[in-house]
Amino acid sequence: MEIVDQYGSDALRMGIITGQTPGNNQPFGPPKVVGARNFCNKLWNIARYIEDKVGDGYKTGQPQLQSDADHWIVHKLSQTAAKMADHLDNYRYSEAYEMLYHFVWDDFADWYIEASKAEENKPVLAFVLESTLAITHPFAPFVTETIWQTLQWAPSQVLAASSWPEIPRADAKRAKAFEEVKTIISEARAVMQAVGVTKTTLTYSDAPVVEANAELIKRLARLESVAYGTAENGVTLTQTKQKTHFIEWLTV
C-alpha cells in the first residue's frame, strides 16, 4: 500500500510483471515501479499534447493516411496490437507489456509525435491515441480510463467496455520508407555529434526517400538545409557558415 500511495496502483501492476518470464524468477524492486510510473507520465503527456492539437470540435472516424510517417505508425500499431493480443491470450503478460512500452515510448512519442510537428495529421494522431489507450488499458486501467474520459471526441462508453481496436491497413512500402528516413536522421545526428559540427547541409542525389521527406529530415536531424546536388554515394553532409567540412556518411 505504501508503493501505491507513492507511485499509483497502475505503476505497481506494471512494475510487478516487468521482466517476469516463464521459468525465470526476477526480484521485485522499486526501480521497476519507477519505470512504470514514468511510462504512465509519458502516456499522460502524449494525450495532453494530442488533445491540444486536435481540439474539442474533432469528430472521431477512420483516419486517412497521408505521409510515410502516418503509414509507419499505423503499421507499427497494427503489429504491436496483434502481437500483444497473442501474448495476452497465452498469459505472457511481461512480453505484452514490453512490446507496449517500446511502442509508446520509442515509436509513438520519440518518432511519430516529433514527425507530426512537421506533417500534422490530426485524425491519425487521435486514432493512434485512442487505440493506444485501448491496448494499454489491461495494464494501466486507471490512468487510461482517466485520459479516455477527458477526450471530447471519444465514444461515451467507458474504455473498460470497449473492444480491442481494429487497425486499418497501412502501406508496407511507405512504412519501410519511413524506416529509411529514421536511419538517415539517426546517422546524421550521430555524425554531427561525433565530429562536433552544427549548421550542416545534407546533399543528396538519386535518393527518392530523401527528396520526398526533405523537410522532415531537416527538422528532426536539426540540419541547416537539405538540398539536391552532387553526392557520389547518394547522400553527403557538409558543414555550412563555418570552415567547410565534407563528410561522406551514408549510401542510399
Side-chain angles (χ1 to χ4, degrees), residues 172-191:
K173 290 184 179 179
R174 297 195 64 180
K176 184 178 180 180
F178 188 75
E179 288 287 354
E180 295 183 34
V181 170
K182 285 178 57 187
T183 299
I184 292 168
I185 292 169
S186 298
E187 293 203 22
R189 291 172 178 172
V191 167

Side-chain angles (χ1 to χ4, degrees), residues 58 60 125-134 148 151 153-155 159:
Y58 174 74
T60 188
L125 281 169
F127 175 80
V128 176
L129 175 59
E130 289 177 32
S131 301
T132 299
L133 291 175
W148 185 266
L151 302 182
W153 69 83
L159 179 58

Side-chain angles (χ1 to χ4, degrees), residues 30-245:
K32 293 183 177 181
V33 182
V34 172
R37 187 274 313 273
N38 293 342
F39 173 81
C40 292
N41 288 343
K42 175 66 73 172
L43 189 62
W44 186 270
N45 290 336
I46 290 172
R48 295 285 78 78
Y49 171 81
I50 293 177
E51 285 186 88
D52 180 64
K53 286 294 180 181
V54 172
D56 295 342
Y58 174 74
K59 301 297 182 182
T60 188
Q62 284 291 88
Q64 296 298 315
L65 309 185
Q66 298 174 357
S67 66
D68 290 344
D70 291 343
H71 286 273
W72 175 80
I73 192 63
V74 172
H75 184 67
K76 281 285 187 179
L77 174 61
S78 178
Q79 290 181 320
T80 301
K83 291 179 181 178
M84 282 182 61
D86 180 65
H87 285 319
L88 292 173
D89 287 343
N90 290 281
Y91 307 103
R92 296 191 294 263
Y93 302 123
S94 180
E95 290 92 332
Y97 171 63
E98 190 75 14
M99 290 201 67
L100 173 68
Y101 182 94
H102 287 293
F103 170 76
V104 171
W105 202 287
D106 301 333
D107 299 332
F108 195 11
D110 285 357
W111 281 105
Y112 186 70
I113 292 291
E114 292 305 311
S116 72
K117 294 176 182 178
E119 302 172 332
E120 188 175 272
N121 188 331
K122 293 180 180 179
V124 173
L125 281 169
F127 175 80
V128 176
L129 175 59
E130 289 177 32
S131 301
T132 299
L133 291 175
I135 63 177
T136 305
H137 188 72
F139 301 95
F142 295 100
V143 67
T144 53
E145 192 69 66
T146 300
I147 294 172
W148 185 266
Q149 297 304 324
T150 67
L151 302 182
Q152 298 296 320
W153 69 83
S156 58
Q157 67 182 36
V158 296
L159 179 58
S162 64
S163 302
W164 198 254
E166 295 183 5
I167 315 299
R169 183 180 295 275
D171 188 324
K173 290 184 179 179
R174 297 195 64 180
K176 184 178 180 180
F178 188 75
E179 288 287 354
E180 295 183 34
V181 170
K182 285 178 57 187
T183 299
I184 292 168
I185 292 169
S186 298
E187 293 203 22
R189 291 172 178 172
V191 167
M192 289 188 294
Q193 182 177 5
V195 180
V197 296
T198 58
K199 299 183 182 301
T200 54
T201 295
L202 185 148
T203 305
Y204 67 90
S205 63
D206 193 26
V209 171
V210 178
E211 184 176 5
N213 296 276
E215 188 60 33
L216 180 61
I217 293 171
K218 173 186 172 183
R219 182 186 181 100
L220 296 191
R222 305 179 191 90
L223 299 169
E224 185 78 3
S225 63
V226 176
Y228 180 84
T230 302
E232 292 183 6
N233 291 328
V235 178
T236 60
L237 196 63
T238 308
Q239 189 176 10
T240 57
K241 295 186 179 180
Q242 297 180 26
K243 181 180 179 181
T244 300
H245 194 101

